[in-house]
Amino acid sequence: MPSHPSSQDIKVATDAVIFTVRDGKLCVLLIGMKKEPLAGLWAVPGGLIGEEETTKACATRILREQTGIADVYLEQLATFDDPARDPYGRVISVAYFALTPSERVELRTTEKYADVRWWPVAKLPKLAYDHKGIVATALTRLRNRLAYTNIAWSLLPAEFPLSRLQETYEAILGRELDKRNFRKKILETGIVEATGRMTAGGAHRPAELHRFKKRALAYVEMLPG
Amino acid sequence: MPSHPSSQDIKVATDAVIFTVRDGKLCVLLIGMKKEPLAGLWAVPGGLIGEEETTKACATRILREQTGIADVYLEQLATFDDPARDPYGRVISVAYFALTPSERVELRTTEKYADVRWWPVAKLPKLAYDHKGIVATALTRLRNRLAYTNIAWSLLPAEFPLSRLQETYEAILGRELDKRNFRKKILETGIVEATGRMTAGGAHRPAELHRFKKRALAYVEMLPG
DNA sequence: TCAAAAGTGTTCCTGTTACACCCATGA
DNA sequence: TCATGGGTGTAACAGGAACACTTTTGA
């Protein structure tokens, strides 16, 4: 970065695309806009970074402030910098990609916004700014991460039946998987292990609960079929 | 990006990590610093973006101005934002990742810098700023792209013998590949085709020249072994 | 006893790996 | 005629895909 000429009047923001799987559907969290001219539109949580704040810290803060969500998996996604992307002026946005289990989440927002809710990615409302493209980029990243890593841990509670894990894969990949092949493959990779405990309730045979051995990102080839 | 509070004094730059393969070695282009306190260190080409300039346009401009290189493959890599990464103040850098055939390149720089040259990635000099991490990130990206896409087209001239393509893969992956398996796999994927023309010169049998069918990024599974 | 989800193996097929020799040319 | 890189096929193996029935529970 050798040259340091001139001045700039460019602002830096972050936007955080957070996904979960609820009722077998992949969902993304959106905030309902209240103020004109955006009222009626929805947007991913986001805002300007602080003078001494990293973009990642900013994404964490903004998720907490605008949605009540904390302690999620978070990674940098991409930077969006079309000079016309924000009507208020030149704002470049470092977008983040986040995942959370659907259990843990109690949503709340501030009076600045009209609403917060989970939207199935298959039926999104009209989005503000360039957020349609940001969400699409995040979705591609999620599908790739799922195929090459153990990232599903961040979408599941500490213990879960294997059917829940398969449901998660199916929701994200958008296709059905063979139960026997899926279980064989997942157990072969060794990313999960049985806990010995069982699910209770439900008019059917109980399922053995499993856990991820490591709840941190690890690269493992496992495109299940 | 709902909230627009406060003011910021943050500058935005781009850095461009450009690779080529020369003499069977993967190399990265670095600029020799002239001014104190960085004199003697090397850095990836970079600089502040213009008020109405996209980061991609900026990366293109900077490569041309600081190294004389134009018309290269260019994609966004990641954004580096450690508040302490630049001693002059808060500068966040949107890093780009670029590739070029080694043939096409005549290097030249301006009097602001001491030198420009290709460095083998195996033996890099001491780098300024956080550029060591930026180059490492770019290298990982390159290896992944090579495995999942036809990106090698951007490192080769219009026509080339298959041995040159194999050499390119070997330089990037850092391991030797089996000649018969490599040729079979590459030809099966259909990303290259024979031109009918032959190499001339060299005290050995001439090689048939091939070309990439599409000189644009396409996703193709092809980790050759 | 019925409905609903859990759990379990084998066969076939495809794709990956390992491996050695002849060919065409210029010096 | 020799040195150099170009060019080719097959056999063994591993991993992926397809596929159906029994088990356990609560209602």
Side-chain angles (χ1 to χ4, degrees):
Chain A
M1 207 174 22
S3 64
H4 281 230
S6 69
S7 69
Q8 286 180 328
D9 184 27
I10 302 177
K11 302 224 175 306
V12 179
T14 69
D15 289 301
V17 183
I18 181 162
F19 293 108
T20 199
V21 174
R22 304 198 331 152
D23 305 323
K25 287 205 266 290
L26 178 62
C27 296
V28 62
L29 193 69
L30 299 175
I31 292 185
M33 300 287 94
K34 193 189 257 182
K35 286 198 270 188
E36 290 303 334
L38 299 172
L41 298 180
W42 294 75
V44 150
L48 297 179
I49 71 172
E51 206 66 42
E52 290 293 319
E53 188 179 42
T54 63
T55 53
K56 187 166 188 174
C58 177
T60 303
R61 172 176 62 79
I62 275 169
L63 277 176
R64 194 181 55 243
E65 290 175 358
Q66 296 180 9
T67 72
I69 297 179
D71 296 317
V72 297
Y73 174 81
L74 195 63
E75 70 173 47
Q76 195 186 105
L77 177 62
T79 297
F80 294 82
D81 71 335
D82 182 339
R85 64 180 291 281
D86 189 321
Y88 293 105
R90 184 78 197 270
V91 180
I92 80 163
S93 172
V94 183
Y96 278 76
F97 159 76
L99 300 174
T100 188
S102 56
E103 280 82 357
R104 280 222 332 246
V105 175
E106 293 174 39
L107 300 180
R108 62 179 159 70
T109 189
T110 68
E111 73 283 354
K112 289 175 64 179
Y113 307 111
D115 201 358
V116 205
R117 39 165 299 209
W118 291 107
W119 288 83
V121 294
K123 295 184 185 180
L124 292 181
K126 194 157 169 47
L127 299 185
Y129 310 106
D130 55 357
H131 287 193
K132 189 175 174 185
I134 295 179
V135 171
T137 304
L139 198 48
T140 301
R141 173 74 63 92
L142 174 56
R143 294 199 170 115
N144 288 333
R145 281 279 180 269
L146 197 73
Y148 304 130
T149 73
N150 68 344
I151 202 165
W153 68 263
S154 61
L155 289 161
L156 294 170
E159 301 192 355
F160 50 87
L162 287 180
S163 58
R164 169 76 185 274
L165 181 59
Q166 182 174 345
E167 176 189 276
T168 302
Y169 272 78
E170 290 176 337
I172 295 172
L173 299 175
R175 62 190 165 97
E176 298 199 339
L177 302 174
D178 179 87
K179 183 167 54 158
R180 279 171 291 190
N181 291 340
F182 179 81
R183 297 166 85 93
K184 198 192 317 172
K185 186 101 169 249
I186 289 287
L187 294 173
E188 267 171 13
T189 65
I191 60 172
V192 299
E193 62 190 357
T195 62
R197 287 195 284 193
M198 296 284 169
T199 54
H204 52 79
R205 177 170 172 177
E208 185 163 27
L209 289 168
H210 288 68
R211 74 168 76 90
F212 278 87
K213 287 188 193 168
K214 301 200 175 173
R215 293 182 74 85
L217 195 67
Y219 287 79
V220 191
E221 279 287 340
M222 45 173 233
L223 296 141
Chain B
M1 208 173 22
S3 65
H4 279 234
S6 71
S7 68
Q8 286 181 329
D9 185 26
I10 302 176
K11 303 226 175 304
V12 178
T14 70
D15 289 301
V17 183
I18 181 162
F19 293 107
T20 199
V21 175
R22 303 196 332 151
D23 307 322
K25 285 204 266 292
L26 178 62
C27 296
V28 63
L29 192 68
L30 298 176
I31 293 184
M33 300 287 93
K34 192 190 259 182
K35 285 197 270 188
E36 291 301 335
L38 298 174
L41 298 181
W42 294 75
V44 151
L48 297 179
I49 71 172
E51 204 67 42
E52 291 293 319
E53 189 179 42
T54 62
T55 53
K56 187 167 190 174
C58 177
T60 304
R61 172 176 62 79
I62 275 170
L63 277 176
R64 193 181 57 244
E65 290 176 358
Q66 296 179 10
T67 72
I69 298 178
D71 296 317
V72 297
Y73 174 81
L74 195 64
E75 70 172 46
Q76 194 187 105
L77 178 62
T79 297
F80 293 81
D81 71 335
D82 182 339
R85 65 179 291 281
D86 189 320
Y88 294 104
R90 184 80 197 269
V91 180
I92 80 163
S93 172
V94 182
Y96 277 76
F97 159 76
L99 300 175
T100 189
S102 56
E103 279 83 356
R104 281 220 333 248
V105 175
E106 292 175 39
L107 300 180
R108 62 179 159 69
T109 189
T110 68
E111 72 283 353
K112 288 175 64 180
Y113 307 110
D115 201 359
V116 204
R117 39 165 298 211
W118 292 108
W119 289 83
V121 294
K123 295 185 185 181
L124 293 181
K126 194 157 166 48
L127 300 184
Y129 309 107
D130 55 357
H131 287 193
K132 189 175 175 187
I134 295 179
V135 171
T137 304
L139 198 48
T140 301
R141 174 75 62 94
L142 173 56
R143 294 199 170 115
N144 289 332
R145 282 278 180 270
L146 197 73
Y148 306 129
T149 73
N150 67 344
I151 202 165
W153 68 263
S154 61
L155 289 161
L156 294 170
E159 300 191 354
F160 50 86
L162 287 180
S163 57
R164 170 78 185 274
L165 181 59
Q166 183 174 344
E167 177 190 275
T168 302
Y169 272 78
E170 290 176 337
I172 296 171
L173 298 176
R175 63 189 165 99
E176 298 199 338
L177 302 173
D178 179 86
K179 183 166 53 160
R180 279 172 291 190
N181 293 339
F182 179 81
R183 298 165 85 93
K184 196 193 317 171
K185 185 99 170 250
I186 288 288
L187 294 172
E188 266 170 13
T189 65
I191 60 173
V192 299
E193 62 190 357
T195 63
R197 288 195 284 194
M198 296 283 169
T199 54
H204 53 78
R205 178 171 170 177
E208 185 163 26
L209 289 167
H210 288 68
R211 75 168 76 91
F212 277 87
K213 287 187 191 165
K214 301 200 174 171
R215 293 182 75 84
L217 195 68
Y219 287 79
V220 192
E221 278 287 340
M222 45 173 231
L223 296 141

